[in-house]
Amino acid sequence: DAGVIQSPRHEVTEMGQEVTLRCKPISGHDYLFWYRQTMMRGLELLIYFNNNVPIDDSGMPEDRFSAKMPNASFSTLKIQPSEPRDSAVYFCASSLLWRGLADTQYFGPGTRLTVL
Amino acid sequence: AQKITQTQPGMFVQEKEAVTLDCTYDTSDPSYGLFWYKQPSSGEMIFLIYQGSYDQQNATEGRYSLNFQKARKSANLVISASQLGDSAMYFCAMREAVYQGGKLIFGQGTELSVKP
């Protein structure tokens, strides 16, 4: 089975540009999560979806960030306009609602974003 | 307040020896789950082991075991017979009952280096 797929793997852009990160979760999974990882702040949950519906977006840093999940097999995280402080590794993860507390999140390989 | 605390930013261990990575957590929820993930230098997040708050026995998965001390609110990861490939960042995470199937809170991580 294919794992969580993210694209692009690396993105270098200039300040002010729009950036779109993409994620394909594991087929059949109910939940999709977007995380950001930086040295200073560690691994932060930005937003997560259940059955394509956003459940908690309290981790989204500002209005410049937006996330969508138009269907069960695709999600995007958009930053517009991008700023240098957005430079980080962005992870997408998915999980299946099966055992509740014990459900494991499976992570994609991440997108390393550099904003110049 | 920090919900997950990993007090060891970095650890060294000799190959073939055992090592314990510390994790303490804070929750008032009687029902919760605890996870450990490994992040090698390649960047992906790999699930290692899970412990439920009501599990009677400590979880084990191969060379990984979880030393769960509920009264102390600690969930330390024990790696036996360390291998060079164990060198990585290790993250402890918690899910509270209200987030069954969903949200995980991660600690800051411990970087483990295995010496030959």
Side-chain angles (χ1 to χ4, degrees):
Chain A
D1 280 343
V4 176
I5 299 171
Q6 290 186 249
S7 64
R9 293 293 308 276
H10 302 273
E11 176 82 30
V12 180
T13 191
E14 293 191 346
M15 183 173 66
Q17 295 298 306
E18 176 181 304
V19 174
T20 300
L21 310 182
R22 296 172 176 79
C23 175
K24 177 178 169 56
I26 294 172
S27 177
H29 278 195
D30 306 283
Y31 285 89
L32 183 139
F33 306 84
W34 283 101
Y35 290 91
R36 177 172 68 175
Q37 186 178 35
T38 61
M39 288 294 292
M40 290 297 295
R41 300 177 67 89
L43 199 62
E44 305 173 272
L45 177 66
L46 300 177
I47 185 171
Y48 76 98
F49 296 83
N50 178 216
N51 291 326
N52 314 337
V53 175
I55 302 301
D56 183 352
D57 65 354
S58 60
M60 296 285 263
E62 331 175 1
D63 291 345
R64 297 185 296 107
F65 286 70
S66 62
K68 294 182 179 179
M69 192 165 186
N71 57 62
S73 59
F74 184 66
S75 177
T76 59
L77 178 67
K78 186 178 292 187
I79 308 171
Q80 182 185 18
S82 58
E83 296 182 3
R85 59 193 168 120
D86 301 330
S87 298
V89 179
Y90 291 81
F91 286 102
C92 177
S94 71
S95 68
L96 176 66
L97 180 59
W98 175 42
R99 296 184 293 162
L101 277 176
D103 291 335
T104 300
Q105 289 184 14
Y106 295 92
F107 282 73
T111 294
R112 182 173 295 277
L113 174 65
T114 303
V115 183
L116 302 174
Chain B
Q2 284 279 76
K3 291 229 172 193
I4 296 285
T5 303
Q6 295 180 252
T7 56
Q8 308 150 313
M11 290 276 289
F12 287 92
V13 66
Q14 205 68 36
E15 192 179 8
K16 299 181 185 177
E17 292 185 352
V19 63
T20 298
L21 307 183
D22 294 343
C23 173
T24 57
Y25 58 91
D26 182 27
T27 181
S28 56
D29 196 329
S31 183
Y32 52 89
L34 297 157
F35 298 76
W36 278 92
Y37 281 82
K38 172 184 178 181
Q39 186 178 39
S41 58
S42 51
E44 71 270 30
M45 295 283 286
I46 302 166
F47 166 71
L48 295 178
I49 195 167
Y50 167 81
Q51 178 84 42
S53 60
Y54 291 118
D55 291 344
Q56 294 296 311
Q57 295 188 334
N58 287 341
T60 60
E61 289 286 349
R63 294 186 299 110
Y64 304 109
S65 61
L66 204 151
N67 183 1
F68 181 46
Q69 298 189 42
K70 195 169 181 177
R72 295 186 177 184
K73 293 189 175 179
S74 74
N76 299 337
L77 178 70
V78 181
I79 305 175
S80 62
S82 298
Q83 301 173 356
L84 296 178
D86 294 334
S87 293
M89 284 289 291
Y90 289 81
F91 292 92
C92 179
M94 177 176 68
R95 173 183 289 133
E96 294 167 302
V98 66
Y99 298 114
Q100 286 206 43
K103 184 176 179 176
L104 288 177
I105 301 168
F106 283 84
Q108 289 294 98
T110 294
E111 184 171 11
L112 177 67
S113 298
V114 180
K115 295 181 176 180

